Amino acid sequence: MLMIILARFLKKKIFEEHEKREIEEDINFITFQTLIQPGQNRRIVAAQAFSHTLLLASKGLVTVSQEQPYGTIQISVV
């Protein structure tokens, strides 16, 4: 149940970011950096969010992609 709630939260955040930036393209992802803004969250919060993101990905509820090592992490809700 918690995983479904987290997936819905991510879907909501993607929609909010889309609306905030007034993006006309159909973008269905959010970056991890946008989700957990550096400087506004402690490292432990970022680590927990990353762990939860990987858990959701392992259950097939989100997809996670990163084009290069240490690059931008994109999260999409399936």
Side-chain angles (χ1 to χ4, degrees):
M1 183 69 171
L2 177 62
M3 289 184 287
I4 294 171
I5 293 169
L6 288 171
R8 287 180 183 162
F9 171 77
L10 282 174
K11 189 177 271 191
K12 179 182 171 194
K13 292 301 267 185
I14 291 169
F15 178 78
E16 288 172 358
E17 189 66 21
H18 185 60
E19 291 291 313
K20 182 173 81 175
R21 294 183 182 215
E22 298 179 355
I23 301 171
E24 293 182 15
E25 301 171 22
D26 187 23
I27 297 176
N28 62 349
F29 67 87
I30 191 167
T31 64
F32 189 75
Q33 186 173 8
T34 302
L35 188 62
I36 304 298
Q37 298 172 353
Q40 293 185 0
N41 292 288
R42 296 183 4 198
R43 289 181 182 177
I44 188 70
V45 173
Q48 289 172 341
F50 188 68
S51 175
H52 289 305
T53 301
L54 295 178
L55 177 65
L56 289 171
S58 72
K59 299 297 181 185
L61 296 172
V62 300
T63 58
V64 180
S65 62
Q66 184 179 34
E67 292 183 13
Q68 59 187 13
Y70 304 103
T72 301
I73 299 170
Q74 297 178 343
I75 306 165
S76 303
V77 177
V78 177

XYZ file of all heavy atoms in Angstrom:
631
model
N 0.819 -1.195 0.000
C 0.000 0.000 0.000
C 0.864 1.261 0.000
O 0.572 2.201 -0.698
C -0.927 -0.045 1.222
C -1.869 1.097 1.290
S -3.069 0.948 -0.037
C -4.189 2.197 0.407
N 1.935 1.248 0.792
C 2.824 2.400 0.858
C 3.448 2.693 -0.501
O 3.583 3.852 -0.892
C 3.920 2.180 1.903
C 4.968 3.283 2.011
C 4.311 4.593 2.429
C 6.051 2.898 2.983
N 3.787 1.641 -1.244
C 4.395 1.831 -2.558
C 3.435 2.516 -3.521
O 3.834 3.360 -4.310
C 4.869 0.504 -3.114
C 6.077 -0.027 -2.378
S 6.712 -1.530 -3.085
C 5.450 -2.689 -2.572
N 2.170 2.173 -3.443
C 1.174 2.798 -4.310
C 1.015 4.264 -3.944
O 0.914 5.130 -4.821
C -0.176 2.053 -4.228
C -0.015 0.650 -4.808
C -1.276 2.814 -4.946
C -1.188 -0.259 -4.592
N 1.040 4.571 -2.662
C 0.958 5.968 -2.212
C 2.159 6.759 -2.719
O 2.014 7.888 -3.200
C 0.844 6.034 -0.678
C -0.499 5.458 -0.226
C 1.007 7.464 -0.175
C -0.616 5.235 1.258
N 3.350 6.164 -2.638
C 4.555 6.842 -3.128
C 4.488 7.059 -4.640
O 4.873 8.122 -5.134
C 5.799 6.043 -2.758
C 6.191 6.054 -1.290
C 7.312 5.051 -1.032
C 6.603 7.438 -0.842
N 3.995 6.080 -5.371
C 3.862 6.228 -6.821
C 2.876 7.335 -7.164
O 3.120 8.134 -8.076
C 3.427 4.908 -7.455
N 1.784 7.428 -6.441
C 0.803 8.504 -6.665
C 1.416 9.860 -6.341
O 1.166 10.849 -7.032
C -0.448 8.272 -5.824
C -1.304 7.157 -6.338
C -2.524 6.963 -5.495
N -3.304 5.835 -5.975
C -4.218 5.219 -5.269
N -4.490 5.617 -4.038
N -4.883 4.202 -5.775
N 2.213 9.922 -5.274
C 2.902 11.156 -4.908
C 3.825 11.598 -6.043
O 3.847 12.773 -6.422
C 3.698 10.954 -3.617
C 4.607 12.094 -3.286
C 4.103 13.258 -2.748
C 5.974 12.004 -3.523
C 4.944 14.322 -2.444
C 6.816 13.053 -3.228
C 6.301 14.223 -2.686
N 4.585 10.667 -6.607
C 5.477 11.001 -7.712
C 4.695 11.494 -8.925
O 5.095 12.451 -9.578
C 6.332 9.804 -8.093
C 7.507 9.513 -7.181
C 8.181 8.210 -7.583
C 8.505 10.650 -7.210
N 3.589 10.836 -9.223
C 2.767 11.253 -10.359
C 2.253 12.679 -10.148
O 2.269 13.499 -11.063
C 1.592 10.292 -10.535
C 0.816 10.511 -11.816
C -0.279 9.482 -11.967
C 0.278 8.287 -12.681
N -0.739 7.325 -13.105
N 1.860 12.994 -8.915
C 1.383 14.338 -8.588
C 2.512 15.357 -8.746
O 2.305 16.440 -9.289
C 0.844 14.356 -7.156
C 0.359 15.702 -6.704
C -0.119 15.675 -5.262
C -0.395 17.074 -4.784
N -0.549 17.170 -3.359
N 3.719 15.020 -8.274
C 4.853 15.935 -8.372
C 5.232 16.185 -9.837
O 5.576 17.301 -10.207
C 6.057 15.402 -7.601
C 5.868 15.379 -6.104
C 5.585 16.743 -5.549
C 6.830 17.431 -5.109
N 6.596 18.718 -4.458
N 5.158 15.155 -10.665
C 5.446 15.319 -12.089
C 4.440 16.285 -12.707
O 4.802 17.201 -13.443
C 5.428 13.959 -12.814
C 6.610 13.114 -12.368
C 5.422 14.147 -14.330
C 6.544 11.664 -12.817
N 3.171 16.112 -12.383
C 2.128 16.996 -12.904
C 2.348 18.427 -12.429
O 2.250 19.371 -13.218
C 0.746 16.489 -12.472
C -0.375 17.375 -12.932
C -0.813 17.327 -14.245
C -0.981 18.262 -12.053
C -1.846 18.151 -14.674
C -2.014 19.091 -12.475
C -2.447 19.032 -13.786
N 2.649 18.614 -11.135
C 2.867 19.957 -10.600
C 4.051 20.643 -11.270
O 3.993 21.830 -11.586
C 3.099 19.907 -9.087
C 1.857 19.590 -8.299
C 2.144 19.358 -6.823
O 3.321 19.401 -6.408
O 1.172 19.122 -6.077
N 5.125 19.912 -11.483
C 6.309 20.475 -12.141
C 5.984 20.851 -13.585
O 6.409 21.885 -14.074
C 7.467 19.470 -12.084
C 8.772 20.027 -12.544
C 9.335 21.114 -11.649
O 8.968 21.213 -10.466
O 10.170 21.883 -12.159
N 5.209 20.022 -14.236
C 4.785 20.279 -15.606
C 3.967 21.568 -15.669
O 4.184 22.418 -16.538
C 3.981 19.083 -16.103
C 3.562 19.138 -17.531
N 4.465 19.211 -18.563
C 2.343 19.133 -18.100
C 3.804 19.246 -19.710
N 2.523 19.191 -19.446
N 3.036 21.728 -14.751
C 2.189 22.919 -14.705
C 2.991 24.167 -14.319
O 2.785 25.233 -14.874
C 1.040 22.717 -13.711
C 0.014 21.712 -14.156
C -0.789 22.195 -15.341
O -1.255 23.349 -15.315
O -0.920 21.425 -16.313
N 3.886 24.026 -13.359
C 4.667 25.157 -12.865
C 5.534 25.759 -13.972
O 5.651 26.969 -14.082
C 5.539 24.721 -11.688
C 6.359 25.838 -11.071
C 7.054 25.378 -9.815
C 8.313 24.629 -10.171
N 9.106 24.263 -8.986
N 6.119 24.901 -14.761
C 7.007 25.380 -15.829
C 6.259 25.671 -17.124
O 6.846 26.074 -18.099
C 8.104 24.356 -16.081
C 9.016 24.222 -14.895
C 10.117 23.276 -15.190
N 10.958 23.130 -14.021
C 12.254 22.962 -14.075
N 12.859 22.923 -15.222
N 12.947 22.833 -12.963
N 4.955 25.410 -17.105
C 4.105 25.636 -18.273
C 4.689 24.959 -19.512
O 4.800 25.541 -20.583
C 3.898 27.134 -18.510
C 3.187 27.805 -17.354
C 3.003 29.305 -17.564
O 3.502 29.848 -18.571
O 2.363 29.922 -16.720
N 5.081 23.728 -19.328
C 5.674 22.944 -20.408
C 4.561 22.426 -21.304
O 3.606 21.815 -20.831
C 6.496 21.768 -19.836
C 7.600 22.305 -18.928
C 7.056 20.905 -20.944
C 8.325 21.237 -18.152
N 4.697 22.683 -22.591
C 3.674 22.239 -23.528
C 3.941 20.822 -24.030
O 3.045 20.154 -24.510
C 3.574 23.220 -24.694
C 3.056 24.573 -24.242
C 2.890 25.551 -25.395
O 2.896 25.118 -26.562
O 2.756 26.747 -25.112
N 5.185 20.380 -23.930
C 5.519 19.032 -24.356
C 4.949 18.026 -23.361
O 4.712 18.357 -22.211
C 7.034 18.865 -24.424
C 7.725 19.822 -25.354
C 9.233 19.750 -25.201
O 9.748 18.727 -24.726
O 9.884 20.738 -25.560
N 4.774 16.819 -23.811
C 4.269 15.767 -22.930
C 5.452 15.121 -22.211
O 6.014 14.135 -22.673
C 3.500 14.728 -23.740
C 2.830 13.715 -22.845
O 2.592 14.026 -21.658
O 2.571 12.599 -23.320
N 5.831 15.698 -21.093
C 6.943 15.179 -20.311
C 6.363 14.385 -19.145
O 5.560 14.900 -18.385
C 7.849 16.319 -19.806
C 8.467 17.036 -20.994
C 8.913 15.786 -18.867
C 9.295 18.229 -20.637
N 6.781 13.142 -19.026
C 6.207 12.277 -17.999
C 7.253 11.826 -16.983
O 7.198 10.709 -16.501
C 5.517 11.079 -18.637
C 6.501 10.234 -19.421
O 7.633 10.628 -19.653
N 6.064 9.068 -19.818
N 8.225 12.699 -16.709
C 9.233 12.339 -15.723
C 9.565 13.552 -14.851
O 9.224 14.680 -15.174
C 10.512 11.817 -16.392
C 11.256 12.869 -17.179
C 12.185 13.693 -16.550
C 11.036 13.034 -18.529
C 12.864 14.668 -17.259
C 11.710 13.995 -19.247
C 12.627 14.815 -18.606
N 10.220 13.280 -13.751
C 10.741 14.319 -12.877
C 12.175 13.918 -12.541
O 12.486 12.729 -12.477
C 9.876 14.477 -11.601
C 10.259 15.728 -10.826
C 9.944 13.246 -10.721
C 9.255 16.111 -9.745
N 13.023 14.887 -12.363
C 14.395 14.549 -12.001
C 14.483 14.395 -10.490
O 13.731 15.017 -9.739
C 15.395 15.630 -12.468
O 15.126 16.849 -11.791
C 15.331 15.823 -13.972
N 15.404 13.572 -10.070
C 15.588 13.358 -8.637
C 15.989 14.664 -7.954
O 15.558 14.954 -6.845
C 16.641 12.272 -8.388
C 16.731 11.855 -6.955
C 15.771 11.044 -6.396
C 17.774 12.291 -6.156
C 15.835 10.666 -5.069
C 17.853 11.914 -4.829
C 16.880 11.102 -4.291
N 16.769 15.475 -8.644
C 17.208 16.751 -8.083
C 16.031 17.705 -7.876
O 15.997 18.451 -6.903
C 18.247 17.398 -9.000
C 18.871 18.643 -8.425
C 20.014 19.147 -9.284
O 20.256 18.660 -10.370
N 20.712 20.130 -8.777
N 15.053 17.680 -8.760
C 13.858 18.505 -8.592
C 13.014 17.994 -7.437
O 12.458 18.766 -6.668
C 13.020 18.515 -9.891
O 13.823 19.009 -10.953
C 11.793 19.383 -9.742
N 12.943 16.690 -7.313
C 12.150 16.075 -6.252
C 12.752 16.341 -4.877
O 12.055 16.726 -3.943
C 12.050 14.570 -6.506
C 11.124 13.759 -5.638
C 9.689 14.233 -5.808
C 11.249 12.294 -5.984
N 14.042 16.151 -4.750
C 14.755 16.369 -3.492
C 15.762 17.482 -3.734
O 16.871 17.234 -4.180
C 15.481 15.081 -3.022
C 14.509 13.936 -2.888
C 16.244 15.334 -1.734
C 13.421 14.150 -1.851
N 15.363 18.695 -3.480
C 16.188 19.849 -3.820
C 17.396 19.975 -2.893
O 17.235 20.031 -1.676
C 15.343 21.109 -3.765
C 14.208 21.068 -4.760
C 13.236 22.211 -4.604
O 13.315 22.978 -3.673
N 12.313 22.301 -5.538
N 18.599 20.003 -3.491
C 19.815 20.143 -2.683
C 19.787 21.452 -1.893
O 19.323 22.475 -2.374
C 20.935 20.175 -3.728
C 20.345 19.566 -4.949
C 18.884 19.877 -4.910
N 20.259 21.396 -0.681
C 20.280 22.577 0.167
C 19.015 22.770 0.983
O 19.021 23.453 1.992
N 17.918 22.170 0.536
C 16.662 22.289 1.267
C 16.336 21.018 2.046
O 15.428 21.015 2.869
C 15.517 22.603 0.307
C 15.641 23.975 -0.314
C 14.433 24.316 -1.158
O 13.500 23.532 -1.291
N 14.441 25.497 -1.728
N 17.061 19.960 1.762
C 16.849 18.685 2.453
C 18.187 18.156 2.947
O 19.213 18.339 2.305
C 16.216 17.659 1.503
C 14.804 18.031 1.133
O 13.910 17.945 1.941
N 14.609 18.474 -0.091
N 18.142 17.483 4.079
C 19.363 16.885 4.609
C 19.728 15.648 3.802
O 18.911 15.079 3.086
C 19.150 16.529 6.076
C 18.919 17.767 6.914
C 18.761 17.520 8.382
N 18.948 16.138 8.795
C 18.533 15.654 9.928
N 17.902 16.420 10.768
N 18.737 14.395 10.243
N 20.969 15.235 3.942
C 21.456 14.074 3.191
C 20.670 12.810 3.520
O 20.441 11.977 2.650
C 22.936 13.854 3.473
C 23.813 14.893 2.846
C 25.254 14.622 3.131
N 26.081 15.668 2.545
C 27.373 15.733 2.670
N 28.025 14.815 3.380
N 28.052 16.702 2.113
N 20.263 12.664 4.758
C 19.516 11.466 5.152
C 18.173 11.407 4.422
O 17.716 10.333 4.016
C 19.335 11.368 6.691
C 18.739 10.017 7.083
C 18.471 12.492 7.220
C 19.656 8.860 6.913
N 17.557 12.563 4.217
C 16.283 12.617 3.486
C 16.504 12.203 2.035
O 15.735 11.422 1.474
C 15.661 14.025 3.574
C 14.426 14.138 2.689
C 15.314 14.366 5.014
N 17.577 12.704 1.436
C 17.894 12.341 0.050
C 18.190 10.848 -0.060
O 17.743 10.187 -1.008
C 19.074 13.162 -0.448
N 18.928 10.310 0.894
C 19.260 8.881 0.872
C 18.000 8.028 1.014
O 17.840 7.019 0.308
C 20.253 8.554 1.984
N 17.101 8.425 1.901
C 15.857 7.672 2.077
C 14.983 7.761 0.830
O 14.386 6.770 0.405
C 15.099 8.187 3.298
C 15.764 7.833 4.602
C 15.117 8.512 5.795
O 14.404 9.501 5.662
N 15.379 7.980 6.973
N 14.915 8.954 0.234
C 14.122 9.124 -0.990
C 14.695 8.278 -2.120
O 13.951 7.658 -2.886
C 14.080 10.597 -1.393
N 16.013 8.230 -2.217
C 16.653 7.415 -3.251
C 16.356 5.937 -3.024
O 16.033 5.196 -3.955
C 18.160 7.673 -3.272
C 18.854 7.024 -4.424
C 18.636 7.440 -5.720
C 19.731 5.974 -4.205
C 19.280 6.836 -6.788
C 20.386 5.362 -5.262
C 20.154 5.797 -6.556
N 16.425 5.511 -1.783
C 16.111 4.124 -1.436
C 14.674 3.777 -1.803
O 14.402 2.718 -2.388
C 16.356 3.896 0.053
O 15.956 2.612 0.435
N 13.748 4.657 -1.480
C 12.334 4.430 -1.815
C 12.135 4.405 -3.331
O 11.345 3.610 -3.844
C 11.442 5.492 -1.185
C 11.318 5.382 0.298
N 10.912 4.233 0.940
C 11.558 6.282 1.281
C 10.908 4.425 2.247
N 11.301 5.663 2.478
N 12.855 5.268 -4.030
C 12.755 5.297 -5.485
C 13.212 3.968 -6.084
O 12.561 3.415 -6.972
C 13.602 6.455 -6.054
O 13.128 7.688 -5.511
C 13.517 6.505 -7.563
N 14.322 3.451 -5.581
C 14.810 2.159 -6.075
C 13.838 1.031 -5.733
O 13.657 0.105 -6.525
C 16.198 1.871 -5.514
C 17.305 2.823 -5.981
C 18.619 2.458 -5.312
C 17.430 2.812 -7.488
N 13.220 1.099 -4.570
C 12.225 0.093 -4.195
C 11.047 0.127 -5.160
O 10.586 -0.919 -5.633
C 11.743 0.315 -2.759
C 10.649 -0.625 -2.273
C 11.168 -2.056 -2.205
C 10.135 -0.183 -0.928
N 10.550 1.334 -5.455
C 9.447 1.461 -6.405
C 9.842 0.925 -7.782
O 9.045 0.276 -8.452
C 9.008 2.925 -6.517
C 8.287 3.512 -5.311
C 8.118 5.010 -5.479
C 6.939 2.846 -5.106
N 11.077 1.191 -8.185
C 11.554 0.696 -9.479
C 11.640 -0.830 -9.486
O 11.300 -1.469 -10.486
C 12.914 1.311 -9.804
N 12.073 -1.413 -8.378
C 12.177 -2.876 -8.313
C 10.808 -3.554 -8.357
O 10.690 -4.703 -8.779
C 12.940 -3.307 -7.054
O 12.157 -3.116 -5.897
N 9.771 -2.829 -7.951
C 8.407 -3.367 -7.979
C 7.689 -3.046 -9.286
O 6.535 -3.417 -9.476
C 7.586 -2.816 -6.801
C 8.150 -3.175 -5.454
C 8.157 -4.661 -5.228
C 8.711 -4.979 -3.845
N 8.853 -6.393 -3.616
N 8.364 -2.308 -10.181
C 7.777 -1.991 -11.476
C 6.789 -0.847 -11.467
O 6.036 -0.674 -12.418
N 6.771 -0.038 -10.403
C 5.828 1.077 -10.327
C 6.390 2.358 -10.930
O 5.630 3.245 -11.307
C 5.416 1.326 -8.873
C 4.662 0.173 -8.220
C 4.468 0.427 -6.739
C 3.325 -0.034 -8.896
N 7.703 2.463 -11.000
C 8.357 3.598 -11.652
C 9.524 3.070 -12.481
O 9.999 1.958 -12.260
C 8.888 4.657 -10.646
C 7.775 5.245 -9.808
C 9.984 4.107 -9.765
N 9.955 3.888 -13.424
C 11.185 3.586 -14.144
C 12.191 4.677 -13.819
O 11.828 5.842 -13.646
C 10.975 3.519 -15.669
O 10.440 4.755 -16.124
C 10.048 2.392 -16.048
N 13.424 4.285 -13.701
C 14.498 5.201 -13.357
C 15.557 5.094 -14.444
O 15.929 3.989 -14.847
C 15.112 4.836 -11.980
C 16.226 5.787 -11.616
C 14.042 4.846 -10.906
N 16.016 6.248 -14.936
C 17.056 6.224 -15.949
C 18.115 7.283 -15.643
O 17.828 8.310 -15.039
C 16.478 6.461 -17.348
O 15.890 7.738 -17.423
N 19.327 6.975 -16.071
C 20.463 7.865 -15.884
C 21.397 7.622 -17.066
O 21.907 6.522 -17.245
C 21.150 7.566 -14.552
C 22.280 8.487 -14.202
C 22.894 8.125 -12.851
O 22.955 6.953 -12.472
N 23.327 9.136 -12.134
N 21.601 8.647 -17.890
C 22.355 8.463 -19.126
C 23.843 8.261 -18.912
O 24.487 7.573 -19.690
C 22.111 9.640 -20.067
C 20.687 9.683 -20.587
C 20.447 10.800 -21.571
O 21.423 11.409 -22.048
O 19.271 11.050 -21.868
N 24.392 8.868 -17.873
C 25.823 8.729 -17.606
C 26.055 8.676 -16.099
O 25.226 9.173 -15.339
C 26.610 9.884 -18.220
C 26.189 11.243 -17.703
C 26.864 12.373 -18.461
O 27.450 12.152 -19.502
N 26.781 13.571 -17.942
N 27.151 8.090 -15.658
C 27.434 8.037 -14.221
C 27.446 9.444 -13.608
O 27.979 10.375 -14.209
C 28.823 7.400 -14.146
C 28.959 6.637 -15.422
C 28.189 7.413 -16.439
N 26.820 9.578 -12.473
C 26.696 10.846 -11.750
C 25.874 11.878 -12.511
O 25.886 13.053 -12.177
C 28.075 11.420 -11.392
C 28.920 10.467 -10.598
C 29.957 9.762 -11.205
C 28.661 10.243 -9.262
C 30.737 8.869 -10.484
C 29.425 9.354 -8.525
C 30.463 8.664 -9.142
O 31.210 7.783 -8.417
N 25.146 11.441 -13.523
C 24.303 12.350 -14.299
C 22.932 12.489 -13.679
O 22.637 11.973 -12.601
N 22.088 13.203 -14.376
C 20.722 13.445 -13.924
C 19.930 12.142 -13.886
O 19.956 11.365 -14.840
C 20.036 14.440 -14.879
O 20.782 15.654 -14.894
C 18.618 14.750 -14.431
N 19.214 11.943 -12.804
C 18.362 10.766 -12.638
C 16.934 11.168 -12.962
O 16.393 12.107 -12.366
C 18.437 10.223 -11.200
C 19.880 9.804 -10.862
C 17.461 9.066 -11.004
C 20.099 9.477 -9.407
N 16.317 10.486 -13.931
C 14.950 10.755 -14.316
C 14.044 9.647 -13.796
O 14.355 8.468 -13.944
C 14.823 10.864 -15.829
C 15.608 12.016 -16.407
C 15.500 12.076 -17.924
O 15.108 11.107 -18.578
N 15.850 13.215 -18.474
N 12.928 10.054 -13.207
C 11.973 9.113 -12.625
C 10.639 9.267 -13.335
O 10.112 10.384 -13.422
C 11.792 9.376 -11.114
C 13.141 9.375 -10.393
C 10.829 8.359 -10.502
C 13.087 9.964 -9.004
N 10.101 8.160 -13.841
C 8.802 8.160 -14.513
C 7.874 7.166 -13.812
O 8.303 6.091 -13.418
C 8.938 7.733 -15.979
O 9.832 8.571 -16.657
N 6.626 7.536 -13.705
C 5.638 6.628 -13.125
C 5.082 5.770 -14.251
O 4.747 6.264 -15.320
C 4.497 7.412 -12.438
C 3.452 6.465 -11.899
C 5.055 8.285 -11.327
N 5.020 4.463 -14.009
C 4.559 3.510 -15.030
C 3.053 3.551 -15.112
O 2.346 3.751 -14.202
C 5.033 2.078 -14.693
C 4.496 1.088 -15.696
C 6.535 2.045 -14.662
